[in-house]
Amino acid sequence: MAVSADPPSQVQVHLFAGLREAMGWSEQLVELAPAADATPHQLWRQLGLQPAHPPAGVRVAINQQFATWDASLAAGDELAFLPPISGG
Amino acid sequence: MAVSADPPSQVQVHLFAGLREAMGWSEQLVELAPAADATPHQLWRQLGLQPAHPPAGVRVAINQQFATWDASLAAGDELAFLPPISGG
Amino acid sequence: MLAIQLEAEPFEPLQALAEWHQLLAAELGMLPAAESHFVGRVRPSGANDSPLTALELEHYPGMTEACIASLAAAAAGQHGATAVLVRHRIGLVLPGDPIVLVAIGADRRGPAQRCCQELLEALKHDAPFWKREWHADGSSAWITGNTAL
Amino acid sequence: MLAIQLEAEPFEPLQALAEWHQLLAAELGMLPAAESHFVGRVRPSGANDSPLTALELEHYPGMTEACIASLAAAAAGQHGATAVLVRHRIGLVLPGDPIVLVAIGADRRGPAQRCCQELLEALKHDAPFWKREWHADGSSAWITGNTAL
């Protein structure tokens, strides 16, 4: 069918610092569930990231820009979960 | 007489910057009037410094410490009139 | 004028400032009337006063640089600063070694100082860096907040 | 630790900071975790936008040095700063040349920055310095206030 020839809807997910270490991986190509309205929040659950409800200090970036937890993800996006920042 | 053998009551007066230039001198040994209660304010008048009433921005130092216009001067003191400061 | 650099190796803040001065003199013809600098170095002890062997700085390649550039441009614009320099370490940094250098050039002291202060806070809170403290016994801990102001 | 110096000749702020670092490293064994610097230079034009050929700085020998030392000690004490450096020009200073360098070492960024800012304001308002602007036509004028913050 024509539909099966479509490229899979994938998102590249990055974890950093304590979150990366707790989960044991730093990046993953994740298949978006077809017809699902994918958001960072939904992917956090889909990937089984802990704790199940993302802690207040954790931020989200889509394509290397800060984004909200309910932003819409599109195929090919780069999504990152950023634990509490401590620079400078 | 014993009194005439006393050392004269002198104060060293310093002027700076615009005040020095306006008056045409930078330091002077000034004789304190005997029995006068000498103060910076009184010396400003005695020296004929201009304007007759010292402007708000001008400050006074006695022995290189900021002082008030009505502080008591003693023989040997170093008195300075400091026009508005602009350092740094 | 923004000059931003992540440093994977130890850097000398005064050397970085000297290079920045050369750049400024070449671009502006003259150094700015007011300059404010901040240098931050690794403390010898960590969050719970235990001695540190090193501080590790993780970042998000690409996003961190872009983020610093955008924070720097925003701070410069807001305060009317002429020039901004940011050098920030990544990787393992030893106690006493510089982590961050922020320098601002402006025409007046107030904007230079305020811009320097605000950009430093912005870097601490809004640029993706993560610090991990390493201890003598080989243990380590990620820091989840900033040091007190 | 106070390091204060009046400079009758041009000085290089980064060189002065390098010497200060050597002194700090020798005295404290390690450089402070937070350092805030300010450098002020002569602007190319004066109070009424006319080009300057030079700025002249007059001071009160003895009192000026003592005054800076006491302002520096007070600021350091108030903010808990570890180290203070002040270098201040006297005499004729050319456009673009440094007039003042203030550097503060402290354990935290807030005290370092606040101490640097407050000491600079104190120097501007409470240390006996007087500035005279010299113009190309040989005329000059004493400045009776500070530049805007």
Side-chain angles (χ1 to χ4, degrees), chain D:
Chain D
M1 245 190 76
L2 307 181
I4 286 155
Q5 206 166 303
L6 296 185
E7 310 268 0
E9 300 293 331
F11 72 103
E12 174 45 57
L14 300 183
Q15 179 57 36
L17 287 168
E19 292 165 15
W20 186 57
H21 281 170
Q22 290 188 335
L23 192 71
L24 288 182
E27 298 262 337
L28 311 173
M30 178 175 248
L31 295 178
E35 251 178 63
S36 182
H37 312 154
F38 180 84
V39 179
R41 289 190 178 80
V42 175
R43 288 190 183 74
S45 55
N48 52 359
D49 279 338
S50 57
L52 283 192
T53 52
L55 195 66
E56 183 181 348
L57 277 143
E58 182 167 331
H59 75 297
Y60 185 171
M63 179 170 177
T64 302
E65 294 89 330
C67 217
I68 296 176
S70 121
L71 295 170
Q78 191 189 332
H79 294 283
T82 323
V84 179
L85 170 70
V86 177
R87 302 265 190 129
H88 202 297
R89 272 298 307 273
I90 53 177
L92 276 182
V93 194
L94 300 182
D97 275 3
I99 310 177
V100 64
L101 165 66
V102 176
I104 307 293
D107 190 50
R108 307 229 163 254
R109 64 192 186 281
Q113 291 169 323
R114 288 191 291 268
C115 186
C116 189
Q117 229 160 333
E118 285 183 27
L119 179 52
L120 182 65
E121 291 312 303
L123 291 178
K124 288 193 170 271
H125 296 102
D126 294 317
F129 286 107
W130 298 276
K131 284 182 185 148
R132 169 156 51 176
E133 296 182 348
W134 285 94
H135 301 107
D137 61 3
S139 68
S140 73
W142 291 99
I143 299 177
T144 54
N146 281 291
T147 50
L149 240 179

Side-chain angles (χ1 to χ4, degrees), chain A:
Chain A
M1 298 185 297
V3 168
S4 68
D6 280 355
S9 291
Q10 289 180 324
V11 166
Q12 179 85 27
V13 181
H14 293 257
L15 302 184
F16 292 93
L19 191 54
R20 168 176 56 72
E21 290 207 323
M23 298 310 300
W25 54 271
S26 64
E27 53 183 282
Q28 238 184 80
L29 259 183
V30 178
E31 193 92 8
L32 297 181
D37 186 16
T39 65
H41 203 146
Q42 184 255 314
L43 269 197
W44 177 278
R45 280 181 311 217
Q46 178 177 335
L47 289 163
L49 299 182
Q50 292 300 326
H53 192 81
V58 175
R59 282 192 271 183
V60 156
I62 298 175
N63 299 327
Q64 309 203 348
Q65 307 261 13
F66 288 114
T68 57
W69 283 91
D70 56 0
S72 286
L73 288 165
D77 277 351
E78 174 175 318
L79 169 66
F81 293 110
L82 314 175
I85 279 170
S86 60

Side-chain angles (χ1 to χ4, degrees), chain A residues 12 14-21 59-66 78-88, chain C residues 57-63 67 88 99-100 120 123-132 140 142-146:
Chain A
Q12 179 85 27
H14 293 257
L15 302 184
F16 292 93
L19 191 54
R20 168 176 56 72
E21 290 207 323
R59 282 192 271 183
V60 156
I62 298 175
N63 299 327
Q64 309 203 348
Q65 307 261 13
F66 288 114
E78 174 175 318
L79 169 66
F81 293 110
L82 314 175
I85 279 170
S86 60
Chain C
L57 277 143
E58 183 169 328
H59 74 298
Y60 185 172
M63 178 169 177
C67 216
H88 202 297
I99 311 177
V100 63
L120 182 64
L123 291 178
K124 288 192 171 271
H125 296 102
D126 294 318
F129 286 108
W130 298 275
K131 283 181 186 152
R132 168 155 53 176
S140 73
W142 291 99
I143 300 178
T144 54
N146 281 291

Side-chain angles (χ1 to χ4, degrees), chain C residues 97-140:
Chain C
D97 274 3
I99 311 177
V100 63
L101 165 66
V102 176
I104 307 292
D107 190 51
R108 306 232 164 252
R109 65 192 187 280
Q113 291 168 321
R114 288 190 293 267
C115 186
C116 189
Q117 230 160 330
E118 286 184 26
L119 179 52
L120 182 64
E121 292 311 303
L123 291 178
K124 288 192 171 271
H125 296 102
D126 294 318
F129 286 108
W130 298 275
K131 283 181 186 152
R132 168 155 53 176
E133 296 181 349
W134 285 95
H135 301 106
D137 62 3
S139 67
S140 73

